[in-house]
Amino acid sequence: FYRVIRTTAYLLYSLHVNSCLYYWASAYEGLGSTTWVYDGEGNSYIRCYYWAVKTLITIGGLPDPKTLFEIVFQLLNYFTGVFAFSVMIGQMRDVVGAATAGQTYYRSCMDSTIKYMNFYRIPKTVQNRVKMWYEYTWHSQGMLDESELLVQLPDKMRLDIAIDVNYNIVSKVALFQGCDRQMIFDMLKRLRSVVYLPNDYVCKKGEIGREMYIIQAGQVHVLGGPDGRTVLVTLKAGSVFGEISLLAAGGGNRRTANVVAHGFANLFILDKKDLNEILVHYPESQKLLRKKAKKMLKNNNKPKEEQGAPGDPLIIPPKADTPKLFQAALAATGRLGGKGPLAQLRWRLKELKSMQV
């Protein structure tokens, strides 16, 4: 926009200078002395400016010069007009090109992707979802990849932008409350923004968890139940999920539920590798997060430990009941006065039972 104003100002100033030169040339030749010069009637500035516009833009329709001075002056005006007009066209082309550079890049990427999908005969349903992702990402963010915009900036500037854009969301996450402020800043630079379409699976049950998700905008459904389609909970902007897999010390931590985007959803993703690289420099924050992770795991496992899932194998199996026939024999032994091998066996069983208690 600034370049458009600057180019327009240069053009208007050039026309002003040319109109003044035309009035000087007319006064030098004598006002109204020939059909070429200004005749001195009407508003002199407006009429001379009108002549300058027609000359510099080479519209034509001007009276023919009569004297040598008029011919030379007119030729210089024509050359200046051609040069000024070409410069103006070049400036406008650059301005329009710069203003539509992002749109051109977006169309180029989309066309290349469509060409690739057509070449490999990708199903139309998949192609339509890819087109929808391109359109929504471009219209919502004005770009396809935010990292491309910031990659050339110094670290300090990238951090300042990340703080202004993302800090309010991340600082409200309960998991990171109490952590070192500088650790939060370092984490902001590692976040990746990803757009999910309606009904897209963010993660599936049984997958290895290597990322944590923070909802920037939109909503996601956590699905469960026997069919895996029952909505257990709806998470909104500012919510976090996948943090247990991210903070667990061991590997092989699997997702425990399906998470599906409910409408369009913009999520921040933090990789486990990136978080571990950050926590190396912040041992106190690392201890705090480990403690929170253990507490979360304990809370998740507590109902199962208290209730006991049916069919789960027990560590110490219960003692089997005494057969009825053997009980009758023991009772008969008791009636016989407590003598004989059966009576001794009964006494031995009572002793074992008292030891177990």
Side-chain angles (χ1 to χ4, degrees), residues 110-145:
M110 190 173 187
D111 292 342
S112 300
T113 304
I114 293 175
K115 184 178 179 180
Y116 172 86
M117 292 188 296
N118 289 332
F119 179 79
Y120 286 100
R121 299 179 181 179
I122 304 298
K124 288 296 182 181
T125 55
V126 178
Q127 293 192 28
N128 292 335
R129 293 187 65 81
V130 171
K131 294 177 183 177
M132 185 188 303
W133 181 88
Y134 269 107
E135 293 173 358
Y136 175 79
T137 303
W138 174 256
H139 291 298
S140 62
Q141 300 181 170
M143 63 192 71
L144 297 179
D145 189 359

Side-chain angles (χ1 to χ4, degrees), residues 9-65:
Y10 286 161
L11 177 62
L12 295 177
Y13 180 75
S14 300
L15 293 173
H16 166 75
V17 172
N18 195 37
S19 63
C20 294
L21 290 176
Y22 175 64
Y23 183 83
W24 171 82
S26 298
Y28 178 79
E29 286 285 299
L31 298 178
S33 59
T34 65
T35 57
W36 181 84
V37 299
Y38 168 57
D39 56 8
E41 297 180 0
N43 188 298
S44 58
Y45 183 77
I46 296 298
R47 291 180 177 274
C48 291
Y49 201 90
Y50 173 74
W51 182 92
V53 170
K54 295 184 69 174
T55 303
L56 284 180
I57 303 179
T58 63
I59 296 178
L62 296 171
D64 295 331

Side-chain angles (χ1 to χ4, degrees), residues 69-325:
F69 175 79
E70 294 175 356
I71 292 174
V72 173
F73 188 90
Q74 187 69 26
L75 288 175
L76 292 176
N77 265 275
Y78 279 141
F79 288 135
T80 305
V82 171
F83 175 75
F85 193 69
S86 61
V87 170
M88 183 184 65
I89 294 297
Q91 288 284 337
M92 292 300 178
R93 182 202 62 192
D94 293 341
V95 169
V96 173
T100 60
Q103 183 76 16
T104 303
Y105 174 73
Y106 154 69
R107 295 302 313 178
S108 175
C109 291
M110 190 173 187
D111 292 342
S112 300
T113 304
I114 293 175
K115 184 178 179 180
Y116 172 86
M117 292 188 296
N118 289 332
F119 179 79
Y120 286 100
R121 299 179 181 179
I122 304 298
K124 288 296 182 181
T125 55
V126 178
Q127 293 192 28
N128 292 335
R129 293 187 65 81
V130 171
K131 294 177 183 177
M132 185 188 303
W133 181 88
Y134 269 107
E135 293 173 358
Y136 175 79
T137 303
W138 174 256
H139 291 298
S140 62
Q141 300 181 170
M143 63 192 71
L144 297 179
D145 189 359
E146 293 181 353
S147 60
E148 293 182 358
L149 179 65
L150 306 176
V151 67
Q152 297 179 353
L153 297 179
D155 289 342
K156 183 62 172 63
M157 290 185 180
R158 278 189 292 169
L159 177 59
D160 293 340
I161 294 176
I163 292 174
D164 291 337
V165 176
N166 304 327
Y167 183 75
N168 288 335
I169 297 176
V170 178
S171 61
K172 296 178 182 178
V173 177
L175 178 66
F176 300 117
Q177 292 181 358
C179 293
D180 192 293
R181 186 181 179 89
Q182 189 60 43
M183 189 274 286
I184 303 295
F185 291 165
D186 290 346
M187 189 180 66
L188 291 176
K189 295 188 293 184
R190 304 292 186 100
L191 292 177
R192 293 185 294 110
S193 179
V194 179
V195 175
Y196 288 90
L197 302 182
N199 300 321
D200 270 356
Y201 277 88
V202 180
C203 58
K204 292 184 178 182
K205 183 177 181 180
E207 291 181 343
I208 302 297
R210 300 185 181 90
E211 304 91 9
M212 181 188 72
Y213 301 89
I214 304 174
I215 302 177
Q216 178 186 12
Q219 299 179 356
V220 298
H221 285 330
V222 180
L223 306 181
D227 57 353
R229 297 183 179 180
T230 303
V231 179
L232 302 178
V233 65
T234 299
L235 302 178
K236 300 181 180 180
S239 300
V240 180
F241 59 95
E243 67 275 15
I244 295 179
S245 298
L246 191 73
L247 297 174
N253 300 286
R254 296 184 179 274
R255 304 294 188 190
T256 57
N258 295 325
V259 180
V260 179
H262 179 56
F264 292 98
N266 293 52
L267 305 182
F268 288 130
I269 298 179
L270 179 63
D271 292 331
K272 185 173 185 178
K273 179 181 177 182
D274 292 337
L275 181 61
N276 290 337
E277 292 177 355
I278 295 172
L279 291 178
V280 170
H281 306 285
Y282 303 96
E284 295 299 326
S285 297
Q286 185 178 20
K287 293 178 182 178
L288 178 62
L289 291 177
R290 298 296 184 197
K291 184 178 180 180
K292 289 185 177 182
K294 290 180 180 179
K295 186 176 181 180
M296 297 167 93
L297 286 171
K298 183 178 179 180
N299 292 336
N300 288 345
N301 295 330
K302 187 175 181 180
K304 294 182 181 180
E305 294 173 359
E306 293 178 352
Q307 299 173 6
D312 290 345
L314 300 176
I315 299 176
I316 302 178
K319 183 174 71 69
D321 294 336
T322 306
K324 293 183 179 180
L325 182 61

